[in-house]
Amino acid sequence: MQSYTIGQAARLLGVSPDTARRWADAGRMATHRDDSGRRLIDGRDLAEFSVELARTATAPDEEAPYTSARNAFPGIVTAIKLGDVAAQVDIQAGPHRLVSLLTREAVEELGLEVGMEATARVKSTNVHIDRA
């Protein structure tokens, strides 16, 4: 399973690294240390936290979520529903939940898993996913 540093988690959540550190220090985000002592967040834990965070109001001192001029929403995969042919992939990008309907084959080719970093690209009514 993929793990994220505090800085990576902050970027995916759309907050500053200081905010992510405060959340980890307060026990809001479960972390563990790697062999070199860096604090890491398990991808599944981060996915769960990002969904919960989006459900609650953010504090006024937190930064606005990051989005690019090209409608790219870097985030974390929070759910995958596979059918025989089609699939649904949910990505939490800061406070934004994006849902992409694509083929099961595309999900398998990208190797998408819950907790994995991915970017949702939105054009009109289509949501494309880039694996990070």
Side-chain angles (χ1 to χ4, degrees):
M1 171 51 57
Q2 185 168 352
S3 292
Y4 298 91
T5 65
I6 293 288
Q8 291 170 323
R11 185 176 54 80
L12 293 170
L13 295 171
V15 298
S16 73
D18 287 336
T19 297
R21 274 189 213 88
R22 283 193 304 270
W23 288 342
D25 291 343
R28 288 186 65 191
M29 278 194 311
T31 62
H32 63 279
R33 298 220 181 243
D34 66 6
D35 295 336
S36 64
R38 291 183 311 164
R39 211 164 19 172
L40 300 176
I41 300 125
D42 179 71
R44 287 192 182 271
D45 290 339
L46 185 58
E48 184 178 313
F49 180 77
S50 69
V51 170
E52 182 59 34
L53 184 63
R55 287 188 189 130
T56 61
T58 56
D61 67 335
E62 292 176 5
E63 296 176 6
Y66 164 80
T67 59
S68 79
R70 299 193 192 286
N71 298 322
F73 295 84
I76 187 166
V77 176
T78 58
I80 298 175
K81 296 176 187 160
L82 295 175
D84 292 335
V85 176
Q88 175 181 316
V89 177
D90 294 15
I91 293 179
Q92 193 71 43
H96 308 289
R97 176 178 171 251
L98 296 117
V99 178
S100 180
L101 302 175
L102 58 166
T103 65
R104 178 187 183 113
E105 181 181 16
V107 171
E108 291 170 350
E109 282 181 9
L110 288 170
L112 295 177
E113 295 178 10
V114 171
M116 176 179 281
E117 184 177 356
T119 300
R121 297 193 184 276
V122 179
K123 181 170 181 178
S124 185
T125 60
N126 297 316
V127 178
H128 305 269
I129 296 178
D130 300 332
R131 180 176 170 187

